[in-house]
């Protein structure tokens, strides 16, 4: 096929917009692990039997006696009585089966360094790291924080924790140390594994010396383990701080994997809530691993003898946990891991990497696809991407145009796309095409996987056969979160109260079409989805009002061509403040408090915010303004004239953004 660019490509994509659905290529279906639609009925006829069957894909030291205990709903127990070890399932069993020399990860550093990390290497490193943590006093159940860039040690660190039953709490490397502090404090972490510094677009940023600034306020944190990544100078406090390499060298090389109860905590991962405090999503061992292994194998149609996988997410997000680490490793996969940004050192780095390692399954986010699209098809067209047989998307709704671009330009016009809907809370992919079966519609997540029940309901919780409503999950699933760490009441209240304790409230709006296929529309709460990362309005607002010259702030999401949504902040300064130089200061303040990703793209300075008579800020109206829509109902406003002023202000600012 000739590779199109520019207006010829545009024309071609426009012509495809009329195609209602794309069937999988025959050759793909014939060779797919799942190609018979009867799997859906089979799972429905006996859901627990279905999960019982798929749980057997793992190695259990002790088998379970009960698949699901839902008697204390919404607190589920899966595979009750079963015992297993996560790192054993990810590593040891492949080594014992004679596959130790298989590459687990082709790792590529920002500066072009390359390493092939085998299952044997992981086996050796993880045992040493596990013993090193034990030497520091870490016991089963103790939380270990991890704040690392995308380097091999992050894989080893996570698996070492699971080997000794210490739940890890990974913080995305792009977050600020203030976010690290909050997450370590909330989870009462005992040890934090971090790096001397991180490479970012050719520069070196110090990490350890930043981390030191928060330690005084973390009395439970006994030790800091420091990985050398950059050779940047960093302070080490004797007795408290430990060098990663020396600790591993000194550690006993043998650490047998001890089995843990299926419901033993595996990890905590913090996600933005609609109130300021992040939610500590707790996943446990047996169910989560079954969910991650099941979906990796069947959604990505993965066979170790055939495929090379690349999930471009960061390990600091749930996508990285489930589809860089646990799902792929349990399936004995060879994966690619890249340290850098998609446009560093140049905009073809992804395509170069796919060609180099012959990646066959590539999983990324709509925001990245749209960025690549805006850079043009020339770069990908220069590379041989014919190894790709399946593409995936996750994190936010993908617009049909980007979906088609992905399929045509990256997938050579034939590669099926799985648009996978799920959440930190669900742990595993929930709604998605099955690539060897589903006729996919561009922009549609399609159907719940076999074993999963998702419905679109009206305000009273009645299932709709067609139309727009609220997305819910009706039945427990193995990878589900078990609770919010130390906040069981908030867990019940947030997810299981609106429609009763049998129905999980997702927090997304969705549309079900005449064929019964599900289109995800976005959040119904106050979360903003920037580049596939959820941020809560309250979290960003509290960061902004933390600036000494700010009196009040209201934050909303605005549609953004590249990042899906971007943040617009309406901010009231302290009386008499000169706001001219304040934009950058406030943005910088937010970067320090939360991370760069949370910086408002636009700040509108105003002395008036639309408030109800009871003083509640009406974000709904601010969203209308930010997106240039006609205003909704303004009758409950204390002072409706505020809206006109704001509308003028936002149009003045439209040209001045960066
Ligand atoms: C959104 C990321 C549309 C959704 C795995 C969800 C999606 C939130 C999709 C969870 C998709 C995720 N199509 N929207 N394929 N995947 N979302 O916890 O709003 O970071 O509730 O987990 O992202 O974000 P989280």
């Amino acid at each position: 096929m000739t590779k199109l660019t520019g207006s010829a490509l545009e024309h071609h994509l426009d012509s495809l917009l009329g195609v209602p659905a794309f069937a999988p290529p025959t050759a793909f279906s014939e060779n797919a692990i799942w190609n018979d639609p009867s799997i859906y009925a089979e799972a429905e006829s006996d859901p627990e039997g279905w999960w019982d069957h798929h749980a057997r894909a793992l190695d259990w030291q002790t088998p379970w006696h009960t698949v699901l205990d839902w008697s204390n709903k919404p607190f589920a127990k899966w595979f009750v009585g079963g015992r297993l070890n996560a790192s054993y399932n990810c590593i040891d069993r492949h080594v014992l089966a004679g596959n130790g020399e298989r590459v687990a990860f082709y790792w590529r550093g920002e500066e072009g360094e390359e390493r092939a990390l085998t299952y044997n290497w992981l086996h050796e490193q993880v045992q040493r790291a596990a013993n090193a943590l034990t030497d520091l006093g870490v016991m089963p159940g103790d939380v270990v924080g991890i704040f690392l860039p995308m380097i091999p040690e992050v894989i080893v660190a996570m698996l070492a924790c699971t080997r000794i039953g210490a739940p890890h709490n990974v913080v995305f490397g792009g977050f600020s140390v203030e976010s690290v502090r909050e997450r370590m404090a909330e989870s009462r972490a005992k040890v934090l594994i971090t790096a001397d510094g991180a490479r970012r677009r050719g520069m070196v940023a110090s990490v350890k010396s930043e981390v030191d600034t928060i330690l005084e306020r973390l009395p439970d944190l006994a030790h800091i383990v420091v990985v050398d990544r950059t050779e940047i100078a960093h302070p080490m406090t004797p007795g408290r701080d430990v060098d990663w390499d020396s600790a591993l060298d000194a550690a006993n090389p043998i650490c047998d994997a001890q089995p843990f109860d299926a419901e033993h905590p595996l990890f905590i991962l913090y996600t933005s809530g609609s109130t300021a405090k992040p939610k500590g999503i707790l996943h446990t061992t047996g169910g989560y691993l079954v969910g991650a292994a099941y979906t990796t194998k069947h959604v990505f149609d993965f066979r170790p003898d055939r495929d090379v996988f690349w999930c471009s997410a960061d390990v600091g997000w749930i996508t990285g946990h489930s589809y860089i680490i646990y799902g792929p490793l349990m399936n004995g996969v060879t994966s690619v891991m890249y340290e850098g940004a998609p446009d560093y050192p140049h905009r073809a780095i992804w395509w170069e990497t796919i060609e180099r390692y012959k990646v066959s399954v590539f999983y990324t986010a709509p925001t990245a696809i749209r960025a690549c699209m805006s850079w043009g098809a020339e770069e990908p067209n220069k590379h041989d991407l014919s190894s790709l047989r399946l593409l995936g998307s996750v994190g936010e709704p993908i617009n049909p145009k980007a979906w088609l671009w992905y399929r045509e330009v990256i997938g050579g016009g034939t590669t099926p796309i799985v648009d996978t809907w799920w959440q930190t809370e669900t742990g595993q992919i929930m709604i998605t095409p099955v690539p060897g079966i589903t006729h996919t519609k561009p922009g549609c997540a399609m159907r719940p996987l076999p074993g999963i029940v998702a419905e679109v309901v009206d305000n009273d919780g009645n299932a709709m056969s067609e139309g727009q409503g609220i997305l819910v999950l009706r039945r427990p699933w193995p990878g589900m979160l078990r609770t919010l760490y130390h906040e069981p009441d908030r867990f019940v209240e947030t997810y299981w109260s609106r429609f009763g304790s049998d129905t999980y409230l997702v927090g997304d709006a969705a549309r079900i079409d005449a064929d019964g296929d599900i289109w995800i529309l976005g959040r119904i709460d106050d979360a903003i989805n920037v580049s596939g990362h959820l941020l809560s309005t309250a979290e960003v607002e509290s960061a902004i009002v933390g600036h000494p010259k700010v009196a009040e702030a209201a934050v909303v999401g605005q549609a953004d061509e590249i990042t899906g949504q971007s943040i617009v902040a309406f901010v009231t300064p302290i009386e008499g403040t000169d706001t001219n130089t304040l934009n950058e200061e406030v943005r910088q303040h937010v970067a320090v408090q939360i991370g760069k990703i949370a910086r408002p793209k636009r700040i509108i300075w105003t002395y008036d915010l639309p408030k109800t008579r009871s003083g509640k800020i009406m974000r709904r109206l601010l969203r209308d303004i930010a997106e240039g829509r006609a205003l909704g109902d303004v009758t409950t406003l204390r002072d409706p004239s505020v809206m006109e002023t704001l509308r003028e202000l936002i149009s003045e600012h439209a040209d001045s953004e960066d």
Side-chain angles (χ1 to χ4, degrees):
M1 185 188 130
T2 41
K3 293 182 171 178
L4 303 173
T5 56
S7 59
L9 176 61
E10 282 287 313
H11 198 74
H12 178 57
L13 295 181
D14 284 344
S15 74
L16 291 175
L17 278 172
V19 177
F22 293 83
T26 316
F28 187 100
S29 292
E30 277 170 359
N31 294 307
I33 295 172
W34 269 352
N35 47 24
D36 181 351
S38 68
I39 49 165
Y40 288 95
E42 192 188 331
E44 265 329 277
S45 69
D46 177 12
E48 289 182 21
W50 180 258
W51 294 119
D52 182 278
H53 168 72
H54 286 284
R56 287 166 201 271
L58 304 190
D59 271 28
W60 297 75
Q61 175 101 3
T62 311
W64 55 95
H65 54 73
T66 305
V67 173
L68 168 66
D69 176 357
W70 191 227
S71 57
N72 183 29
K73 61 193 173 194
F75 298 93
K77 287 188 179 146
W78 280 89
F79 308 110
V80 187
R83 294 177 76 80
L84 76 173
N85 183 287
S87 78
Y88 182 92
N89 274 281
C90 289
I91 309 168
D92 301 47
R93 62 172 181 157
H94 306 306
V95 171
L96 291 170
N99 295 320
E101 279 310 294
R102 182 185 297 159
V103 173
F105 289 95
Y106 289 112
W107 177 82
R108 199 163 192 194
E110 233 199 37
E111 301 306 308
E113 316 95 296
E114 285 185 292
R115 289 174 65 183
L117 315 172
T118 63
Y119 280 89
N120 275 340
W121 182 85
L122 281 179
H123 194 222
E124 200 256 331
Q125 291 281 302
V126 166
Q127 293 188 72
R128 284 184 179 275
N131 282 330
L133 288 173
T134 303
D135 293 344
L136 291 175
V138 176
M139 304 284 288
D142 288 345
V143 174
V144 174
I146 298 179
F147 182 51
L148 285 172
M150 290 280 282
I151 53 178
E153 287 80 359
V154 75
I155 310 166
V156 174
M158 289 168 75
L159 292 168
C161 289
T162 71
R163 199 159 186 95
I164 58 171
H168 54 66
N169 175 6
V170 182
V171 182
F172 167 54
F175 274 155
S176 68
V177 288
E178 195 45 42
S179 297
V180 177
R181 191 202 58 76
E182 184 176 27
R183 285 155 171 78
M184 294 306 117
E186 289 291 331
S187 67
R188 293 166 217 165
K190 262 190 124 169
V191 169
L192 174 65
I193 306 174
T194 189
D196 58 343
R199 290 177 189 276
R200 296 198 185 124
R201 295 173 191 278
M203 315 272 272
V204 172
S206 46
V207 176
K208 171 62 168 60
S209 53
E210 290 286 305
V211 164
D212 273 11
T213 64
I214 56 167
L215 293 179
E216 239 175 56
R217 289 175 292 150
L218 290 171
D220 294 328
L221 202 59
H223 293 286
I224 314 295
V225 183
V226 184
V227 177
D228 270 322
R229 170 65 187 127
T230 61
E231 289 166 6
I232 193 168
H234 57 280
M236 292 290 275
T237 302
R240 185 194 67 190
D241 299 350
V242 179
D243 174 65
W244 169 273
D245 287 330
S246 324
L248 263 65
D249 283 347
N252 184 332
I254 305 296
C255 174
D256 287 333
Q258 299 301 318
F260 291 97
D261 190 273
E263 286 298 334
H264 187 79
L266 185 67
F267 65 82
I268 307 161
L269 188 57
Y270 282 85
T271 181
S272 299
S274 43
T275 64
K277 219 166 97 189
K279 297 180 284 196
I281 309 293
L282 179 76
H283 284 289
T284 59
T285 310
Y288 171 81
L289 292 178
V290 169
Y294 165 80
T295 47
T296 301
K297 177 168 177 183
H298 298 101
V299 176
F300 299 115
D301 188 39
F302 202 92
R303 282 211 332 243
D305 59 336
R306 166 177 75 185
D307 291 303
V308 175
F309 187 58
W310 186 12
C311 164
S312 76
D314 190 282
V315 283
W317 308 112
I318 190 69
T319 308
H321 282 54
S322 299
Y323 301 109
I324 295 178
I325 309 290
Y326 294 106
L329 290 175
M330 278 186 289
N331 281 287
V333 162
T334 296
S335 290
V336 168
M337 183 175 186
Y338 178 54
E339 183 186 28
D343 58 351
Y344 187 86
H346 51 72
R347 288 175 172 180
I349 185 70
W350 275 13
W351 322 123
E352 196 181 291
T353 303
I354 288 173
E355 179 172 8
R356 181 164 186 81
Y357 301 110
K358 301 199 170 18
V359 172
S360 59
V361 183
F362 182 54
Y363 190 33
T364 192
T367 184
I369 298 166
R370 287 190 295 264
C372 295
M373 221 171 121
S374 74
W375 302 335
E378 288 79 3
E379 293 297 348
N381 283 353
K382 275 185 226 153
H383 292 274
D384 177 6
L385 305 179
S386 61
S387 56
L388 289 171
R389 51 184 292 276
L390 179 60
L391 299 171
S393 170
V394 61
E396 46 173 322
I398 178 166
N399 50 308
K401 189 79 175 273
W403 193 101
L404 288 166
W405 188 90
Y406 196 27
R407 185 176 190 275
E408 293 304 301
V409 177
I410 308 306
T414 52
T415 309
I417 296 178
V418 285
D419 174 7
T420 62
W421 176 87
W422 59 296
Q423 307 178 296
T424 308
E425 289 88 338
T426 69
Q428 59 177 89
I429 294 170
M430 303 292 282
I431 304 178
T432 176
V434 169
I437 297 175
T438 311
H439 292 216
T440 48
K441 301 173 183 174
C444 182
M446 305 299 295
R447 301 258 164 138
L449 275 172
I452 306 294
V453 182
E455 282 176 356
V456 178
V457 301
D458 62 21
N459 280 327
D460 302 320
N462 304 311
M464 301 167 69
S465 53
E466 198 183 336
Q468 195 166 313
I470 298 167
L471 185 65
V472 297
L473 301 167
R474 291 286 203 195
R475 184 196 286 154
W477 63 100
M480 65 198 282
L481 78 165
R482 296 302 193 267
T483 190
L484 294 179
Y485 199 58
H486 294 321
E487 295 185 294
D489 295 343
R490 189 178 176 199
F491 168 68
V492 177
E493 167 65 27
T494 308
Y495 304 106
W496 304 95
S497 58
R498 174 140 182 204
F499 300 117
S501 58
D502 262 327
T503 301
Y504 171 88
L505 181 71
V506 160
D508 285 348
R511 180 165 71 80
I512 183 160
D513 68 18
D515 303 323
D517 295 324
I518 296 175
W519 301 71
I520 311 294
L521 302 172
R523 303 291 302 170
I524 52 175
D525 56 20
D526 279 334
I528 304 177
N529 192 329
V530 183
S531 297
H533 305 141
L534 289 186
L535 295 158
S536 79
T537 50
E539 192 179 10
V540 181
E541 283 164 6
S542 81
I544 297 177
V545 295
H547 188 282
K549 291 178 190 153
V550 168
E552 191 161 33
V555 152
V556 297
Q558 177 191 26
D560 187 287
E561 262 188 30
I562 304 287
T563 58
Q565 283 192 296
S566 61
I567 297 176
V568 181
F570 295 83
V571 186
T572 306
I574 302 276
E575 282 274 343
T577 307
D578 174 10
T579 57
N580 279 333
T581 56
L582 219 48
N583 262 354
E584 251 335 285
E585 247 183 67
V586 168
R587 281 163 46 83
Q588 184 52 28
H589 183 74
V590 174
V592 171
Q593 293 296 311
I594 307 175
K596 282 189 181 160
I597 190 150
R599 283 180 308 189
K601 186 163 179 191
R602 308 164 73 180
I603 297 178
I604 314 294
W605 295 99
T606 169
Y607 281 103
D608 293 303
L609 287 168
K611 287 190 186 161
T612 61
R613 286 176 185 85
S614 64
K616 270 186 126 186
I617 295 175
M618 292 194 65
R619 289 199 190 73
R620 174 172 59 78
L621 294 175
L622 292 175
R623 271 195 293 267
D624 288 343
I625 285 217
E627 301 208 312
R629 277 192 300 269
L631 289 183
D633 181 14
V634 294
T635 52
T636 54
L637 280 185
R638 196 168 46 197
D639 172 13
S641 71
V642 167
M643 300 312 293
E644 245 349 277
T645 321
L646 285 176
R647 200 192 275 292
E648 281 161 23
L649 278 171
I650 200 155
S651 52
E652 275 170 33
H653 281 71
D655 310 319
S656 59
E657 56 191 74
D658 55 328

